[in-house]
Amino acid sequence: DAGITQSPRHKVTETGTPVTLRCHQTENHRYMYWYRQDPGHGLRLIHYSYGVKDTDKGEVSDGYSVSRSKTEDFLLTLESATSSQTSVYFCAISESWGGEIFSNQPQHFGDGTRLSIL
Amino acid sequence: DQQVKQNSPSLSVQEGRISILNCDYTNSMFDYFLWYKKYPAEGPTFLISISSIKDKNEDGRFTVFLNKSAKHLSLHIVPSQPGDSAVYFCAASEPNYTGANSKLTFGKGITLSVRP
C-alpha cells in the first residue's frame, strides 16, 4: 500500500465553521491531489499540488483552499463549511518519470475522510 | 458535461464467468486510461492502465481493451471471483508534456457483484 494517511477519518461539524483535512505521505512523491466523492458524481478533483508551495485548482475548487509547505503534507481547508460540502474526501499521490514526454503514472489514494456538515 | 461515462450503474455475474465493464469517453485528447477498484470505507485502488498507443493491456485476470475510434474502453475480469465485488471506476487523462502529472477525470463508477 502507498504510504498515505488521511486525518481525521471522520468528522462532524456545523455550518460556518472552518475545517482542515490533512494528507500525509511517506513516498516522497511530487504530486498530491484532493478529490471529493459524492453519489452520482464519481470522484471530482478539488485542488492539486505539483510541488512544495505549488498548487492549482481542479474541477470543484470553489469554497476550498489548500497548502503544501512540505513535500509530505497537503492540507485541504474549508474556510466556512456548508452543507453542500458534506462528502467523502480522498487524497491521492503520484510521481511522473522525466523525459521528452513525461510518462503518466497512476495515482494512489488514501482511505478517505468522511465529513458531515450539519 | 461528462467526459468519462460509465452508463451501467451495476453488473451482476456468476463466479467463474467473465465480467465486462464498459466505459465511454468524449474527449479526444485523452491518451491514458485507468481502472480503479473501490471497496466500501476504503480508497480507490489502482488496477490496470492503458496508453492510447496500445489497444490491449493484460495483467493476470484483468485485461483492458481500448477502441480509440469508438472512444470506448472495457475491463474484462476472467474468471470473476466473489472478492471482485466492488465499485469500479474508469478514469482518463490528457497528454503530459510539461512534467505536471496529468489530472484524472473519473466516471461515476459501476458496482460489480459476483455471485458465488
Side-chain angles (χ1 to χ4, degrees), chain A residues 42-54:
Chain A
L43 284 89
R44 293 181 292 173
L45 182 65
I46 305 171
H47 281 280
Y48 67 102
S49 170
Y50 47 95
V52 174
K53 300 191 188 304
D54 293 323

Side-chain angles (χ1 to χ4, degrees), chain A residues 1-77:
Chain A
D1 289 345
I4 308 169
T5 304
Q6 291 187 233
S7 58
R9 290 297 312 279
H10 303 271
K11 186 173 181 65
V12 180
T13 190
E14 294 183 348
T15 301
T17 60
V19 177
T20 296
L21 308 183
R22 179 180 183 236
C23 178
H24 178 79
Q25 61 146 329
T26 58
E27 306 295 321
N28 201 35
H29 281 357
R30 177 180 176 186
Y31 302 98
M32 299 186 75
Y33 311 80
W34 277 107
Y35 292 87
R36 61 179 288 176
Q37 185 193 7
D38 303 289
H41 287 280
L43 284 89
R44 293 181 292 173
L45 182 65
I46 305 171
H47 281 280
Y48 67 102
S49 170
Y50 47 95
V52 174
K53 300 191 188 304
D54 293 323
T55 65
D56 205 351
K57 295 179 180 180
E59 179 187 356
V60 290
S61 60
D62 287 348
Y64 302 95
S65 62
V66 290
S67 65
R68 192 168 177 201
S69 59
K70 299 184 290 184
T71 299
E72 57 266 35
D73 288 327
F74 193 32
L75 303 181
L76 176 71
T77 297

Side-chain angles (χ1 to χ4, degrees), chain B residues 32-48:
Chain B
Y32 181 59
F33 304 89
L34 308 90
W35 285 94
Y36 284 85
K37 177 170 76 173
K38 186 183 179 305
Y39 293 120
E42 295 183 10
T45 301
F46 169 70
L47 264 181
I48 192 169

